[in-house]
């Protein structure tokens, strides 16, 4: 076919453009999946970012009670079990921060020794009160004489380790009366004056000294764990009752602590108890007191004292109040993982118990 002049060039141009369009279309066809993958990856990244941010924002909106700071300087801090151990360490620390300190214990001689030690170390003269927390009338007189309390630290505690089958019921009652009923007595005696004119005096605190045995039951701790688990229910309900009065409850969970009480406890502790409890280690009283006071000042409901205690706090968070948005986020996200860790601990503990009983049977 003969094309007019110029027509041939136009036909060649049309063919070239058609080939170019086909080439671009094929390139787009092969490149499209990679662009789709890129968009999908971008959307996935946004979801991974937005989901935790949305959860954190939601927790920020719903958490109650709200964060608070409990001042210590120039406040009246009343500590039971304050003549030795963690209680005495706490008395030293609050006195060094400028608090007015009152300590209560059964032995007047030990109280006087503690008073001298506090004054020598901090220059603060602590008020001392000799009374048994099981005696409500004696506690009430001490609280009335001490004056309105801003920070109440209920620290007294006794522990006699023994399997329930071998333990006398008098020892069980003794632990329940001192650790649990003694706490009720102390709070009941102190609460009316703590509430009085509270808004003018600033936020107050009631801190209860529990134990890691108040988070998980341990072999040989049957009665002791019962008394310390009881404090959990007391604290959770009490926080709801006193929050309107600007009073904030804390629950402290120390592990085994190097105190005179631990020395006596180890004399009777079943060997299986020592094997199981050894996983958490032993802390110094000063270190426990430091972490406890830090938690009290920040108004934390649950105050763990070491890493194992932190894991237990997450694992047993349940319905407990949480003021920290970050900790609430960790509790929600890590709950399943921590549950797996606790099952591993249980596997280890029950394995130790099985080996122990198998050894006893062989001998």
């Amino acid at each position: 076919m003969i094309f007019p002049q110029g027509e041939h060039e136009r036909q060649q141009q049309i063919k070239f453009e058609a080939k170019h369009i086909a080439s671009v279309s094929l390139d787009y066809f092969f490149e499209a999946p990679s662009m789709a993958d890129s968009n999908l990856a971008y959307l996935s990244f946004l979801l991974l970012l937005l989901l935790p941010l949305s959860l954190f924002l939601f927790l920020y909106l719903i958490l109650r009670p709200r964060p608070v700071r409990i001042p210590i300087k120039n406040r009246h801090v009343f500590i039971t079990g304050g003549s030795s151990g963690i209680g005495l360490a706490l008395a030293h620390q609050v006195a060094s921060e400028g608090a007015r300190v009152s300590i209560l214990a059964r032995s007047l001689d030990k109280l006087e020794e503690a008073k001298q030690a506090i004054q020598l170390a901090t220059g603060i003269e602590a008020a001392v009160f000799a009374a048994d927390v099981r005696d409500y009338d004696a506690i009430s007189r001490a609280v009335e004489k001490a004056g309105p309390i801003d920070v109440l630290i209920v620290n007294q505690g006794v522990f006699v380790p023994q399997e329930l089958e071998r333990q006398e019921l008098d020892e069980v009652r003794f632990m329940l009366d001192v650790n649990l009923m003694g706490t009720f007595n102390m709070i009941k005696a102190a609460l009316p004056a703590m509430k009085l004119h509270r808004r003018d005096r600033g936020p107050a605190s009631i801190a209860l000294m529990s134990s890691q045995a108040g988070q998980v039951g341990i072999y040989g701790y049957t009665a002791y764990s019962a008394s310390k688990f009881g404090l959990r229910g007391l604290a959770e309900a009490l926080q709801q009752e006193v929050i309107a009065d600007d009073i904030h409850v804390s629950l402290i969970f120390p592990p085994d602590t190097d105190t005179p009480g631990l020395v006596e406890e180890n004399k009777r502790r079943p060997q299986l108890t020592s094997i199981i409890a050894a996983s958490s280690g032993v802390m110094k009283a000063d270190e426990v007191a430091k972490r406890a006071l830090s938690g009290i000042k920040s108004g934390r409901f649950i105050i763990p004292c070491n890493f194992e205690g932190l894991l237990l706090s997450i694992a047993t968070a349940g319905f407990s109040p949480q003021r920290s948005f970050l900790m609430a986020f960790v509790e929600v996200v890590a709950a399943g993982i921590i549950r797996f860790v606790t099952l591993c601990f249980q596997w280890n503990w029950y394995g130790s118990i099985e080996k122990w009983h198998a050894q006893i049977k062989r001998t």
Side-chain angles (χ1 to χ4, degrees):
M1 182 179 292
I2 300 175
F3 293 102
Q5 188 176 6
E7 184 65 18
H8 178 73
E9 289 81 357
R10 191 173 69 84
Q11 293 293 330
Q12 292 295 325
Q13 181 67 25
I14 291 172
K15 290 179 180 180
F16 173 79
E17 290 177 356
K19 288 180 180 179
H20 178 70
I21 291 170
S23 175
V24 169
S25 298
L26 286 171
D27 288 344
Y28 179 81
F29 177 79
F30 286 111
E31 288 178 3
S34 64
M35 292 174 63
D37 290 344
S38 177
N39 290 334
L40 183 60
Y42 180 69
L43 288 174
S44 299
F45 173 76
L46 284 179
L47 284 175
L48 287 174
L49 184 64
L50 288 175
L51 284 175
L53 286 176
S54 300
L55 175 59
F56 192 83
L57 178 61
F58 180 71
L59 292 172
Y60 176 83
L61 295 173
I62 69 167
L63 282 193
R64 295 296 185 279
R66 306 304 285 179
V68 68
R69 293 298 299 177
I70 309 293
I72 296 297
K73 188 176 182 179
N74 299 323
R75 315 291 299 289
H76 182 200
V77 180
F78 193 106
I79 305 170
T80 68
S83 64
S84 64
I86 298 172
L88 180 56
L90 279 164
H92 274 276
Q93 292 201 19
V94 297
S96 68
E97 294 194 19
R100 179 166 74 89
V101 184
S102 296
I103 55 176
L104 179 143
R106 284 180 293 177
S107 171
L108 183 58
D109 291 339
K110 288 184 178 180
L111 283 167
E112 290 295 339
E113 291 177 9
K115 177 180 178 179
Q116 292 176 12
I118 294 168
Q119 188 167 14
L120 184 64
T122 66
I124 301 294
E125 184 175 355
V128 298
F129 300 93
D132 190 324
V133 292
R134 294 173 295 176
D135 185 342
Y136 178 75
D137 292 335
I139 291 296
S140 296
R141 289 192 295 269
V143 168
E144 185 177 1
K145 187 175 180 180
I149 298 167
D150 297 301
V151 178
L152 173 63
I153 303 177
V154 189
N155 169 74
Q156 85 283 341
V158 292
F159 177 33
V160 183
Q162 190 80 60
E163 296 92 339
L164 179 60
E165 185 180 7
R166 302 180 182 181
Q167 193 158 48
E168 297 295 332
L169 284 176
D170 286 344
E171 290 179 333
V172 174
R173 291 191 188 95
F174 177 54
M175 282 183 272
L176 291 173
D177 284 346
V178 173
N179 300 347
L180 187 55
M181 282 308 302
T183 301
F184 274 103
N185 288 340
M186 192 66 233
I187 297 171
K188 178 79 172 174
L191 198 52
M194 288 188 75
K195 286 186 173 185
L196 194 63
H197 306 304
R198 174 48 54 198
R199 292 297 178 183
D200 299 328
R201 290 157 49 196
S205 172
I206 298 175
L208 312 182
M209 189 64 66
S210 184
S211 164
Q212 287 184 359
Q215 296 172 287
V216 58
I218 301 292
Y219 185 100
Y221 283 51
T222 315
Y224 183 71
S225 284
S227 69
K228 293 298 186 177
F229 266 80
L231 294 179
R232 176 70 172 261
L234 189 169
E236 289 188 3
L238 180 65
Q239 180 61 96
Q240 295 179 27
E241 293 180 10
V242 301
I243 190 62
D245 297 287
D246 204 13
I247 299 174
H248 308 275
V249 179
S250 293
L251 199 55
I252 306 163
F253 292 109
D256 282 345
T257 306
D258 187 9
T259 64
L262 183 64
V263 175
E264 293 302 315
E265 171 193 327
N266 284 335
K267 294 177 181 178
R268 286 191 54 174
R269 177 186 274 187
Q271 189 172 351
L272 256 178
T273 303
S274 298
I275 293 171
I276 294 173
S279 61
S280 190
V282 177
M283 291 184 69
K284 296 291 184 182
D286 287 342
E287 184 62 25
V288 171
K290 180 180 178 181
R291 298 194 182 191
L293 185 58
S294 175
I296 291 169
K297 290 192 291 185
S298 62
R300 293 176 64 181
F301 181 78
I302 290 179
I303 305 176
C305 295
N306 60 7
F307 180 69
E308 290 81 2
L310 177 62
L311 293 180
L312 280 172
S313 297
I314 297 171
T316 61
F319 266 69
S320 62
Q322 178 57 266
R323 298 179 188 273
S324 167
F325 313 121
L326 179 59
M327 278 306 302
F329 182 84
V330 171
E331 288 169 355
V332 172
V333 173
I337 298 172
I338 299 301
R339 176 55 176 161
F340 175 76
V341 173
T342 62
L343 290 173
C344 291
F345 270 98
Q346 292 286 348
W347 168 75
N348 181 51
W349 292 348
Y350 278 94
S352 298
I353 293 169
E354 290 171 4
K355 289 177 183 178
W356 171 261
H357 284 288
Q359 183 179 353
I360 293 298
K361 289 178 181 178
R362 285 197 299 268
T363 58

